[in-house]
Amino acid sequence: MHSTTSPQISQVQPLIEESGEIIKLKRFAEKGNAEAQYKLGLMYDMGEDVDQDYGKAFGWYEKSANQGLASSQSKLGSMYRYGKGVEVNHAKASEWYWKAYEQGNEEAHYQLGTIYISNKDKFSH
């Protein structure tokens, strides 16, 4: 019986440590740290170490994006583009991608390119 108890304990301990890290991250995010807000948004977006929740991801990305963090601006653009945690809004998606692009964000540059290519017929007339 001792051998079955030990693996369970070793599996639980890392989760407790991760929870502590998430708590620290949330404290920084709630104090307005844009990078912490981005990381929390990413965790909720991807469902890493937390339950996937696009609404929470959107909220954290938005706080960070409003502070000017390009990576959050790009992610917020994707949330609007694909309707994750928010209604689809291509104009807002483009706005956020553009803000990130102006700061040199490569993902936003790529996304703006795909938007242009998918709408090129509309631009050529």
Side-chain angles (χ1 to χ4, degrees):
M1 282 195 177
H2 188 317
S3 63
T4 40
T5 307
S6 294
Q8 290 174 345
I9 291 170
S10 66
Q11 289 175 356
V12 171
Q13 286 174 335
L15 293 175
I16 292 168
E17 290 170 10
E18 290 170 6
S19 295
E21 291 301 312
I22 293 169
I23 290 167
K24 286 182 198 174
L25 196 59
K26 282 185 179 180
R27 283 187 194 139
F28 282 120
E30 288 165 357
K31 289 181 180 179
N33 182 294
E35 191 65 37
Q37 292 167 341
Y38 168 73
K39 287 178 182 178
L40 273 176
L42 197 58
M43 289 173 71
Y44 283 111
D45 192 2
M46 302 298 164
E48 293 176 4
D49 301 325
V50 295
D51 290 332
Q52 189 172 45
D53 185 327
Y54 293 134
K56 286 182 181 178
F58 179 88
W60 287 116
Y61 286 148
E62 185 175 41
K63 287 176 191 243
S64 181
N66 282 326
Q67 292 186 67
L69 191 68
S71 51
S72 286
Q73 291 171 337
S74 181
K75 288 291 187 183
L76 198 58
S78 293
M79 300 296 274
Y80 276 114
R81 185 174 186 188
Y82 299 107
K84 291 183 173 182
V86 68
E87 291 288 320
V88 171
N89 186 323
H90 294 288
K92 285 193 181 234
S94 295
E95 271 180 51
W96 284 110
Y97 284 140
W98 191 257
K99 287 179 183 190
Y101 166 75
E102 288 179 321
Q103 295 186 65
N105 183 278
E106 291 182 19
E107 178 62 22
H109 187 193
Y110 171 80
Q111 293 298 334
L112 283 170
T114 63
I115 290 170
Y116 174 77
I117 289 169
S118 65
N119 291 299
K120 68 181 181 183
D121 292 338
K122 294 176 188 173
F123 294 123
S124 63
H125 290 75

